[in-house]
Coordinates of all heavy atoms in Angstrom, one line a residue:
M1 N 82.9 138.7 104.0 CA 83.7 138.1 102.9 C 84.8 137.2 103.5 O 85.2 137.4 104.6 CB 84.4 139.2 102.1 CG 83.4 140.1 101.4 SD 82.3 139.2 100.3 CE 83.0 139.7 98.7
L2 N 85.1 136.2 102.8 CA 86.0 135.2 103.3 C 87.1 134.9 102.2 O 86.8 134.8 101.1 CB 85.2 134.0 103.6 CG 85.8 132.9 104.4 CD1 85.8 133.3 105.9 CD2 84.9 131.6 104.3
L3 N 88.4 134.8 102.7 CA 89.4 134.4 101.8 C 89.6 132.8 101.9 O 89.7 132.3 103.0 CB 90.7 135.1 102.2 CG 91.9 134.8 101.3 CD1 91.7 135.3 99.9 CD2 93.2 135.4 101.9
K4 N 89.5 132.2 100.8 CA 89.4 130.7 100.9 C 90.4 130.1 100.0 O 90.7 130.6 98.8 CB 88.0 130.3 100.4 CG 87.5 129.1 101.0 CD 86.0 128.9 100.6 CE 85.5 127.5 100.8 NZ 85.8 127.1 102.2
N5 N 91.1 129.1 100.4 CA 92.1 128.3 99.6 C 91.3 127.1 99.0 O 91.0 126.2 99.8 CB 93.3 127.9 100.4 CG 94.3 127.1 99.6 OD1 94.1 126.9 98.4 ND2 95.4 126.8 100.3
V6 N 91.0 127.2 97.8 CA 90.2 126.1 97.1 C 91.0 124.8 97.2 O 90.4 123.7 97.3 CB 89.8 126.5 95.7 CG1 89.0 125.4 95.0 CG2 89.1 127.8 95.6
T7 N 92.3 124.9 97.0 CA 93.1 123.7 97.0 C 92.9 122.9 98.3 O 92.8 121.7 98.3 CB 94.6 124.0 96.8 OG1 94.7 124.8 95.7 CG2 95.5 122.8 96.7
Q8 N 92.8 123.6 99.4 CA 92.6 123.0 100.8 C 91.3 122.3 100.8 O 91.3 121.1 101.3 CB 92.7 124.1 101.8 CG 92.7 123.6 103.2 CD 92.9 124.7 104.3 OE1 93.5 125.7 104.0 NE2 92.3 124.4 105.4
D9 N 90.3 122.9 100.3 CA 89.0 122.2 100.2 C 89.1 120.9 99.5 O 88.5 119.9 99.9 CB 87.9 123.1 99.5 CG 87.3 124.1 100.5 OD1 87.9 124.2 101.6 OD2 86.3 124.7 100.1
I10 N 89.7 121.0 98.3 CA 89.8 119.8 97.4 C 90.7 118.7 98.1 O 90.3 117.5 98.1 CB 90.5 120.1 96.1 CG1 89.6 121.2 95.3 CG2 90.7 118.9 95.2 CD1 90.3 121.8 94.2
V11 N 91.7 119.1 98.8 CA 92.6 118.1 99.5 C 91.8 117.4 100.6 O 91.8 116.1 100.7 CB 93.8 118.8 100.2 CG1 94.4 118.0 101.3 CG2 94.8 119.1 99.1
F12 N 91.0 118.1 101.4 CA 90.2 117.4 102.5 C 89.1 116.6 101.9 O 88.8 115.5 102.4 CB 89.6 118.5 103.4 CG 90.7 118.9 104.5 CD1 91.3 120.1 104.4 CD2 91.0 118.0 105.5 CE1 92.2 120.5 105.3 CE2 92.0 118.4 106.4 CZ 92.6 119.6 106.4
E13 N 88.5 117.0 100.7 CA 87.5 116.3 100.1 C 88.0 114.9 99.6 O 87.5 113.9 99.8 CB 86.9 117.1 98.9 CG 85.6 116.7 98.4 CD 85.2 117.7 97.3 OE1 84.9 118.8 97.6 OE2 85.2 117.2 96.1
K14 N 89.2 115.0 98.9 CA 89.8 113.8 98.3 C 90.3 112.9 99.4 O 90.2 111.7 99.3 CB 91.0 114.2 97.4 CG 90.6 115.0 96.2 CD 90.1 114.1 95.1 CE 89.6 114.9 93.9 NZ 88.6 114.2 93.0
L15 N 90.8 113.5 100.5 CA 91.4 112.7 101.6 C 90.2 111.9 102.2 O 90.4 110.7 102.5 CB 92.0 113.6 102.6 CG 92.6 113.0 103.8 CD1 93.7 111.9 103.5 CD2 93.2 114.0 104.8
G16 N 89.1 112.5 102.4 CA 87.9 111.8 102.9 C 87.5 110.6 102.0 O 87.2 109.6 102.5
E17 N 87.6 110.8 100.7 CA 87.2 109.7 99.8 C 88.2 108.6 99.9 O 87.9 107.4 100.0 CB 87.3 110.2 98.3 CG 86.1 111.1 98.0 CD 86.2 111.7 96.6 OE1 87.0 111.1 95.7 OE2 85.6 112.8 96.3
I18 N 89.5 109.0 100.0 CA 90.6 107.9 100.1 C 90.4 107.2 101.4 O 90.5 105.9 101.4 CB 92.0 108.6 100.0 CG1 92.2 109.2 98.6 CG2 93.1 107.6 100.3 CD1 93.5 110.1 98.5
L19 N 90.2 107.9 102.5 CA 90.0 107.2 103.8 C 88.9 106.2 103.8 O 88.9 105.2 104.5 CB 89.9 108.2 104.9 CG 91.2 109.0 105.2 CD1 90.9 110.1 106.2 CD2 92.3 108.1 105.8
R20 N 87.8 106.6 103.1 CA 86.6 105.7 103.1 C 86.9 104.4 102.4 O 86.4 103.3 102.7 CB 85.4 106.4 102.4 CG 84.6 107.2 103.4 CD 83.2 107.6 102.8 NE 83.3 108.4 101.6 CZ 83.4 109.7 101.6 NH1 83.5 110.3 102.7 NH2 83.5 110.4 100.5
C21 N 87.8 104.5 101.3 CA 88.1 103.3 100.5 C 89.3 102.5 101.1 O 89.5 101.4 100.7 CB 88.5 103.7 99.1 SG 87.2 104.6 98.3
H22 N 90.1 103.1 102.0 CA 91.3 102.4 102.5 C 91.3 102.4 104.0 O 91.9 103.3 104.7 CB 92.6 103.1 102.0 CG 92.7 103.0 100.5 ND1 93.3 102.0 99.9 CD2 92.3 103.9 99.5 CE1 93.2 102.2 98.5 NE2 92.6 103.3 98.3
P23 N 90.6 101.5 104.6 CA 90.6 101.4 106.1 C 91.9 101.2 106.8 O 92.1 101.4 108.0 CB 89.6 100.2 106.4 CG 89.6 99.4 105.1 CD 89.9 100.4 104.0
E24 N 92.9 100.8 106.0 CA 94.3 100.5 106.5 C 95.0 101.8 106.9 O 95.9 101.8 107.6 CB 95.1 99.6 105.6 CG 95.6 100.3 104.3 CD 94.6 100.3 103.2 OE1 93.5 100.0 103.4 OE2 95.1 100.7 102.0
I25 N 94.5 102.9 106.3 CA 95.1 104.2 106.6 C 94.5 104.7 107.9 O 93.3 104.7 108.1 CB 94.8 105.3 105.5 CG1 95.4 104.8 104.1 CG2 95.4 106.6 105.8 CD1 94.9 105.6 103.0
C26 N 95.4 105.1 108.8 CA 95.0 105.6 110.1 C 94.1 106.9 110.0 O 94.5 107.8 109.4 CB 96.2 105.9 111.0 SG 95.7 106.6 112.6
P27 N 92.8 106.8 110.5 CA 91.9 108.0 110.3 C 91.9 109.0 111.4 O 91.1 109.8 111.5 CB 90.6 107.3 110.1 CG 90.7 106.1 111.1 CD 92.2 105.7 111.1
C28 N 92.9 108.9 112.3 CA 92.9 109.8 113.5 C 93.2 111.2 113.0 O 93.8 111.4 111.9 CB 93.9 109.3 114.6 SG 95.6 109.8 114.3
A29 N 92.8 112.2 113.8 CA 92.9 113.6 113.4 C 94.3 114.0 113.1 O 94.6 114.7 112.2 CB 92.3 114.5 114.5
R30 N 95.3 113.5 113.9 CA 96.7 113.8 113.8 C 97.2 113.4 112.4 O 97.9 114.1 111.7 CB 97.5 113.1 114.9 CG 99.0 113.4 114.9 CD 99.2 114.9 115.2 NE 100.4 115.4 114.5 CZ 101.4 116.0 115.1 NH1 101.4 116.1 116.4 NH2 102.4 116.5 114.4
C31 N 96.9 112.1 112.1 CA 97.4 111.6 110.8 C 96.7 112.3 109.6 O 97.4 112.6 108.6 CB 97.2 110.1 110.7 SG 98.3 109.2 111.8
Q32 N 95.4 112.5 109.7 CA 94.7 113.2 108.6 C 95.3 114.6 108.4 O 95.5 115.0 107.2 CB 93.2 113.4 109.0 CG 92.4 112.2 108.7 CD 90.9 112.5 108.8 OE1 90.4 113.4 108.1 NE2 90.2 111.7 109.6
L33 N 95.5 115.4 109.5 CA 96.1 116.7 109.3 C 97.5 116.7 108.8 O 97.9 117.6 108.0 CB 95.9 117.5 110.6 CG 94.5 117.8 111.1 CD1 94.5 118.5 112.4 CD2 93.8 118.7 110.0
D34 N 98.3 115.7 109.3 CA 99.6 115.6 108.8 C 99.6 115.3 107.3 O 100.4 115.9 106.5 CB 100.4 114.4 109.5 CG 101.0 114.9 110.8 OD1 101.1 116.1 111.0 OD2 101.3 114.0 111.6
I35 N 98.8 114.4 106.8 CA 98.6 114.1 105.4 C 98.2 115.3 104.6 O 98.9 115.7 103.6 CB 97.6 112.9 105.2 CG1 98.1 111.6 105.7 CG2 97.3 112.8 103.7 CD1 97.1 110.5 105.9
A36 N 97.3 116.0 105.1 CA 96.8 117.2 104.4 C 97.9 118.3 104.4 O 98.1 118.9 103.3 CB 95.5 117.8 105.1
A37 N 98.6 118.5 105.4 CA 99.7 119.5 105.5 C 100.8 119.2 104.5 O 101.2 120.1 103.8 CB 100.3 119.6 106.9
I38 N 101.2 117.9 104.4 CA 102.3 117.5 103.5 C 101.8 117.7 102.1 O 102.5 118.3 101.2 CB 102.7 116.1 103.7 CG1 103.4 115.9 105.1 CG2 103.6 115.6 102.6 CD1 103.5 114.5 105.6
A39 N 100.6 117.3 101.8 CA 100.1 117.5 100.4 C 99.9 118.9 100.0 O 100.3 119.3 98.9 CB 98.7 116.8 100.3
L40 N 99.4 119.7 101.0 CA 99.2 121.2 100.7 C 100.5 121.9 100.5 O 100.6 122.9 99.7 CB 98.4 121.8 101.8 CG 96.9 121.6 101.7 CD1 96.2 121.9 103.0 CD2 96.3 122.4 100.6
N41 N 101.6 121.5 101.1 CA 102.9 122.1 100.9 C 103.4 121.8 99.6 O 104.3 122.6 99.1 CB 103.9 121.6 102.0 CG 103.7 122.3 103.3 OD1 103.2 123.4 103.4 ND2 104.1 121.6 104.4
H42 N 102.9 120.8 98.9 CA 103.4 120.5 97.5 C 102.5 120.9 96.4 O 102.8 120.8 95.3 CB 103.7 119.0 97.4 CG 104.8 118.5 98.3 ND1 104.7 117.9 99.5 CD2 106.2 118.6 98.1 CE1 105.9 117.7 100.0 NE2 106.8 118.1 99.2
L43 N 101.4 121.5 96.8 CA 100.4 121.9 95.8 C 100.3 123.4 95.7 O 100.6 124.1 96.7 CB 99.0 121.3 96.2 CG 98.8 119.8 96.0 CD1 97.6 119.3 96.8 CD2 98.7 119.5 94.5
Q44 N 99.9 123.9 94.6 CA 99.7 125.3 94.3 C 98.5 125.8 95.1 O 97.4 125.2 94.8 CB 99.6 125.5 92.8 CG 99.7 126.9 92.4 CD 101.2 127.4 92.2 OE1 102.1 126.5 92.2 NE2 101.4 128.7 92.2
P45 N 98.6 126.8 95.9 CA 97.3 127.3 96.6 C 96.5 128.1 95.6 O 97.1 128.7 94.7 CB 97.8 128.2 97.7 CG 99.2 128.6 97.3 CD 99.8 127.5 96.4
R46 N 95.2 128.0 95.7 CA 94.3 128.8 94.8 C 93.3 129.5 95.7 O 92.3 128.9 96.1 CB 93.6 127.8 93.8 CG 94.4 127.4 92.6 CD 93.9 126.2 92.0 NE 92.5 126.4 91.6 CZ 92.1 126.6 90.3 NH1 92.9 126.7 89.4 NH2 90.8 126.7 90.1
Y47 N 93.6 130.8 95.8 CA 92.7 131.6 96.7 C 91.6 132.2 96.0 O 91.8 132.7 94.9 CB 93.6 132.6 97.4 CG 94.5 132.1 98.5 CD1 95.9 131.9 98.2 CD2 94.0 131.6 99.7 CE1 96.7 131.3 99.2 CE2 94.8 131.1 100.7 CZ 96.2 130.9 100.4 OH 97.0 130.4 101.3
V48 N 90.5 132.2 96.6 CA 89.3 132.9 96.0 C 88.7 133.7 97.2 O 88.8 133.4 98.3 CB 88.2 132.0 95.4 CG1 88.8 131.3 94.2 CG2 87.8 131.0 96.5
V49 N 88.0 134.9 96.8 CA 87.3 135.6 97.8 C 85.8 135.2 97.6 O 85.3 135.2 96.5 CB 87.5 137.1 97.5 CG1 86.6 137.9 98.5 CG2 88.9 137.5 97.7
T50 N 85.2 134.9 98.7 CA 83.8 134.4 98.6 C 83.0 135.1 99.7 O 83.4 135.4 100.7 CB 83.8 132.9 98.7 OG1 82.4 132.4 98.7 CG2 84.5 132.4 99.9
D51 N 81.7 135.2 99.4 CA 80.7 135.6 100.4 C 80.5 134.5 101.3 O 80.6 133.3 101.0 CB 79.4 136.0 99.7 CG 79.2 137.4 99.5 OD1 79.5 138.2 100.5 OD2 78.8 137.9 98.4
L52 N 80.2 134.8 102.6 CA 79.9 133.7 103.6 C 78.8 132.9 103.1 O 78.8 131.6 103.3 CB 79.7 134.3 105.0 CG 80.9 134.7 105.7 CD1 80.5 135.4 107.0 CD2 81.8 133.5 106.0
G53 N 77.7 133.5 102.6 CA 76.5 132.7 102.2 C 76.6 132.1 100.8 O 75.8 131.3 100.4
E54 N 77.6 132.5 100.1 CA 77.8 132.1 98.7 C 78.0 130.6 98.6 O 78.9 130.0 99.3 CB 78.9 132.8 98.0 CG 79.0 132.7 96.5 CD 80.3 133.4 96.0 OE1 80.6 134.5 96.6 OE2 80.9 132.9 95.1
V55 N 77.3 129.9 97.7 CA 77.5 128.5 97.5 C 78.7 128.4 96.5 O 78.8 129.0 95.5 CB 76.3 127.8 96.9 CG1 76.6 126.4 96.6 CG2 75.1 128.0 97.8
M56 N 79.7 127.6 97.0 CA 80.9 127.4 96.1 C 80.5 126.6 94.8 O 80.0 125.6 94.9 CB 81.9 126.6 96.9 CG 82.6 127.4 98.0 SD 83.5 128.8 97.4 CE 84.9 127.9 96.8
T57 N 80.9 127.3 93.7 CA 80.6 126.6 92.4 C 82.0 126.2 91.9 O 82.4 126.6 90.9 CB 79.9 127.6 91.5 OG1 80.6 128.8 91.5 CG2 78.5 127.8 91.9
R58 N 82.6 125.3 92.6 CA 83.9 124.8 92.3 C 83.9 123.9 91.1 O 84.8 124.0 90.2 CB 84.6 124.1 93.4 CG 85.2 125.0 94.5 CD 86.2 124.2 95.3 NE 85.5 123.4 96.3 CZ 85.4 122.1 96.3 NH1 85.9 121.4 95.2 NH2 84.8 121.4 97.2
T59 N 83.0 123.0 91.1 CA 83.0 121.9 90.1 C 83.2 122.4 88.7 O 83.8 121.7 87.9 CB 81.7 121.0 90.3 OG1 80.7 121.9 90.7 CG2 81.9 119.9 91.3
G60 N 82.6 123.5 88.4 CA 82.7 124.0 87.0 C 84.1 124.4 86.7 O 84.6 124.1 85.6
S61 N 84.8 125.1 87.6 CA 86.1 125.7 87.3 C 87.2 124.7 87.7 O 88.3 124.9 87.3 CB 86.3 127.0 88.1 OG 86.1 126.7 89.4
L62 N 86.8 123.6 88.4 CA 87.8 122.7 88.9 C 88.3 121.8 87.7 O 87.6 120.9 87.3 CB 87.2 121.8 90.0 CG 88.1 120.6 90.5 CD1 89.4 121.1 91.1 CD2 87.3 119.9 91.5
D63 N 89.5 122.1 87.2 CA 89.9 121.3 86.1 C 90.6 120.0 86.5 O 91.0 119.8 87.7 CB 90.9 122.1 85.1 CG 92.0 122.7 85.9 OD1 91.7 123.5 86.8 OD2 93.2 122.5 85.6
A64 N 90.6 119.0 85.6 CA 91.0 117.7 85.9 C 92.5 117.6 86.4 O 92.8 116.8 87.3 CB 90.9 116.8 84.7
Q65 N 93.3 118.5 86.0 CA 94.7 118.5 86.3 C 94.9 118.7 87.8 O 95.7 118.0 88.5 CB 95.5 119.6 85.6 CG 97.0 119.4 85.7 CD 97.5 118.0 85.3 OE1 97.2 117.5 84.3 NE2 98.3 117.4 86.2
I66 N 94.1 119.6 88.4 CA 94.2 119.9 89.9 C 93.8 118.6 90.6 O 94.5 118.2 91.6 CB 93.3 121.0 90.3 CG1 93.8 122.3 89.6 CG2 93.3 121.2 91.8 CD1 92.8 123.5 89.8
S67 N 92.8 118.0 90.1 CA 92.3 116.7 90.8 C 93.4 115.7 90.7 O 93.7 115.0 91.7 CB 91.1 116.3 90.0 OG 90.4 115.3 90.8
V68 N 94.1 115.5 89.6 CA 95.1 114.5 89.4 C 96.3 114.9 90.3 O 96.8 114.0 91.0 CB 95.6 114.5 87.9 CG1 96.9 113.6 87.8 CG2 94.5 113.9 87.1
D69 N 96.7 116.1 90.3 CA 97.9 116.6 91.2 C 97.6 116.3 92.7 O 98.4 115.9 93.4 CB 98.1 118.1 91.0 CG 98.7 118.4 89.6 OD1 99.1 117.4 88.9 OD2 98.8 119.5 89.2
T70 N 96.3 116.6 93.1 CA 95.9 116.5 94.5 C 96.0 115.0 94.9 O 96.5 114.7 95.9 CB 94.5 117.0 94.7 OG1 94.4 118.4 94.2 CG2 94.1 116.9 96.1
M71 N 95.5 114.1 94.0 CA 95.5 112.7 94.3 C 97.0 112.2 94.4 O 97.3 111.4 95.3 CB 94.8 111.9 93.2 CG 93.3 112.1 93.3 SD 92.6 111.6 94.9 CE 92.3 109.9 94.7
L72 N 97.8 112.7 93.5 CA 99.2 112.3 93.5 C 99.9 112.7 94.8 O 100.6 111.9 95.5 CB 99.9 112.9 92.3 CG 101.4 112.5 92.0 CD1 101.4 111.1 91.5 CD2 102.0 113.4 91.0
E73 N 99.7 114.0 95.2 CA 100.4 114.5 96.4 C 99.8 113.8 97.7 O 100.5 113.6 98.6 CB 100.2 116.0 96.5 CG 101.0 116.8 95.4 CD 102.5 116.5 95.4 OE1 103.1 116.0 96.5 OE2 103.1 116.6 94.4
L74 N 98.5 113.5 97.7 CA 97.9 112.8 98.8 C 98.5 111.4 98.9 O 98.7 111.0 100.1 CB 96.4 112.8 98.6 CG 95.6 114.0 99.1 CD1 94.1 113.9 98.8 CD2 95.8 114.2 100.6
T75 N 98.6 110.7 97.8 CA 99.2 109.4 97.8 C 100.6 109.4 98.4 O 100.9 108.5 99.3 CB 99.2 108.8 96.4 OG1 97.9 108.9 95.9 CG2 99.6 107.3 96.4
K76 N 101.4 110.3 98.0 CA 102.8 110.5 98.5 C 102.7 110.8 100.0 O 103.5 110.2 100.8 CB 103.5 111.5 97.8 CG 103.9 111.1 96.4 CD 105.0 112.0 95.8 CE 104.4 113.1 95.0 NZ 105.4 114.0 94.4
A77 N 101.8 111.7 100.4 CA 101.7 112.1 101.8 C 101.3 111.0 102.7 O 101.8 110.8 103.8 CB 100.8 113.3 101.9
I78 N 100.4 110.2 102.2 CA 99.9 109.0 103.0 C 101.0 108.0 103.2 O 101.2 107.5 104.3 CB 98.7 108.4 102.3 CG1 97.4 109.3 102.4 CG2 98.4 107.0 102.8 CD1 96.3 108.9 101.5
A79 N 101.8 107.8 102.2 CA 103.0 106.9 102.3 C 103.9 107.4 103.4 O 104.4 106.6 104.2 CB 103.7 106.8 101.0
I80 N 104.2 108.7 103.4 CA 105.1 109.2 104.4 C 104.5 109.1 105.8 O 105.2 108.6 106.8 CB 105.4 110.7 104.1 CG1 106.1 110.9 102.8 CG2 106.2 111.4 105.3 CD1 106.2 112.3 102.3
V81 N 103.2 109.5 106.0 CA 102.6 109.5 107.3 C 102.4 108.0 107.8 O 102.6 107.7 109.0 CB 101.3 110.2 107.3 CG1 100.5 110.0 108.6 CG2 101.5 111.7 107.1
S82 N 102.1 107.1 106.9 CA 102.0 105.7 107.3 C 103.3 105.1 107.8 O 103.3 104.3 108.7 CB 101.5 104.9 106.1 OG 100.2 105.3 105.7
R83 N 104.4 105.6 107.2 CA 105.7 105.1 107.6 C 106.1 105.7 108.9 O 106.7 105.1 109.8 CB 106.7 105.3 106.5 CG 107.9 104.4 106.6 CD 108.8 104.6 105.4 NE 108.1 104.5 104.1 CZ 108.5 104.9 102.9 NH1 109.7 105.5 102.9 NH2 107.9 104.8 101.8
F84 N 105.9 107.0 109.1 CA 106.3 107.7 110.3 C 105.1 108.4 110.9 O 105.0 109.7 111.0 CB 107.4 108.8 109.9 CG 108.5 108.2 109.2 CD1 108.7 108.5 107.8 CD2 109.5 107.5 109.8 CE1 109.8 107.9 107.1 CE2 110.6 106.9 109.1 CZ 110.7 107.2 107.8
P85 N 104.1 107.6 111.5 CA 103.0 108.3 112.1 C 103.4 109.0 113.4 O 104.2 108.6 114.1 CB 102.0 107.1 112.4 CG 102.9 105.9 112.4 CD 104.1 106.2 111.6
R86 N 102.8 110.2 113.6 CA 103.1 111.0 114.7 C 102.0 111.0 115.8 O 102.1 111.8 116.7 CB 103.4 112.5 114.3 CG 104.7 112.5 113.4 CD 105.2 113.9 113.3 NE 104.4 114.7 112.4 CZ 104.7 116.0 112.3 NH1 105.8 116.6 112.8 NH2 103.9 116.8 111.5
H87 N 101.0 110.1 115.6 CA 99.9 110.1 116.6 C 100.3 109.5 117.9 O 99.6 109.6 118.9 CB 98.7 109.3 116.0 CG 99.0 108.0 115.5 ND1 98.4 107.4 114.3 CD2 99.9 107.0 115.9 CE1 98.9 106.2 114.1 NE2 99.8 105.9 115.1
A88 N 101.5 108.9 118.0 CA 102.0 108.3 119.2 C 102.2 109.4 120.3 O 102.1 109.2 121.5 CB 103.3 107.5 119.0
E89 N 102.5 110.6 119.7 CA 102.7 111.8 120.6 C 101.4 112.3 121.2 O 101.4 113.1 122.1 CB 103.4 112.9 119.8 CG 104.8 112.5 119.2 CD 105.2 113.5 118.1 OE1 104.6 114.5 118.0 OE2 106.1 113.1 117.3
N90 N 100.3 111.8 120.6 CA 99.0 112.3 121.0 C 98.4 111.4 122.0 O 98.2 110.2 121.8 CB 98.1 112.2 119.7 CG 97.5 113.6 119.5 OD1 97.6 114.5 120.3 ND2 96.8 113.7 118.4
S91 N 98.1 111.9 123.2 CA 97.7 111.0 124.3 C 96.2 110.6 124.0 O 95.8 109.6 124.6 CB 97.8 111.8 125.6 OG 97.1 113.0 125.5
D92 N 95.5 111.3 123.2 CA 94.1 111.0 123.0 C 93.9 109.9 121.9 O 92.8 109.5 121.6 CB 93.2 112.2 122.7 CG 93.6 112.9 121.4 OD1 94.6 112.5 120.8 OD2 92.9 113.9 121.1
H93 N 95.0 109.4 121.3 CA 94.9 108.4 120.3 C 94.6 107.0 120.9 O 95.3 106.7 121.9 CB 96.2 108.4 119.5 CG 96.1 107.4 118.3 ND1 95.3 107.7 117.2 CD2 96.6 106.2 118.1 CE1 95.4 106.7 116.3 NE2 96.2 105.7 116.9
K94 N 93.6 106.4 120.3 CA 93.3 105.1 120.9 C 94.3 104.0 120.4 O 94.6 103.9 119.3 CB 91.9 104.7 120.4 CG 90.8 105.4 121.1 CD 89.4 105.1 120.5 CE 88.5 106.3 120.5 NZ 88.3 106.8 119.2
Ligands
LIG1 ZN1 96.9 108.2 113.4

């Protein structure tokens, strides 16, 4: 059995979509994780207990409001990280 934060899944899913559409946003691991961390700190966590083999049936229970909130927090987080990127501390950043 696994304890899962559904909000975290949604954040990474939406972040992936945003990054595909906006090449101006730095896609390095440091910036992506910083964006996700900032957004997740402002969003309500939604924990579910799931079987390891269980297919997540999120789409049915995922209401539109969570999606809207996630996009809003991601947009704010991207603005913060774009202004103060911390990837310079990362030696593996190209
Ligand atoms: Zn970066």
Side-chain angles (χ1 to χ4, degrees):
M1 296 304 255
L2 197 73
L3 182 63
K4 210 170 166 53
N5 181 1
V6 179
T7 307
Q8 188 176 328
D9 275 14
I10 299 167
V11 161
F12 278 106
E13 199 178 290
K14 297 277 176 203
L15 181 57
E17 287 174 24
I18 294 170
L19 288 171
R20 273 198 296 278
C21 302
H22 297 273
E24 74 275 13
I25 301 166
C26 179
C28 81
R30 180 69 211 238
C31 290
Q32 277 193 55
L33 291 175
D34 276 345
I35 291 164
I38 293 166
L40 281 165
N41 280 335
H42 292 100
L43 289 161
Q44 195 80 17
R46 280 161 56 101
Y47 289 102
V48 294
V49 176
T50 175
D51 259 315
L52 279 175
E54 190 185 323
V55 178
M56 290 293 287
T57 49
R58 278 199 282 107
T59 31
S61 58
L62 173 61
D63 51 304
Q65 191 55 49
I66 296 170
S67 195
V68 169
D69 289 348
T70 304
M71 288 304 271
L72 186 73
E73 292 303 336
L74 276 174
T75 305
K76 287 196 268 183
I78 287 165
I80 295 167
V81 172
S82 299
R83 204 174 306 162
F84 307 105
R86 296 199 286 177
H87 53 217
E89 300 160 17
N90 233 354
S91 53
D92 64 355
H93 185 72
K94 286 176 218 109

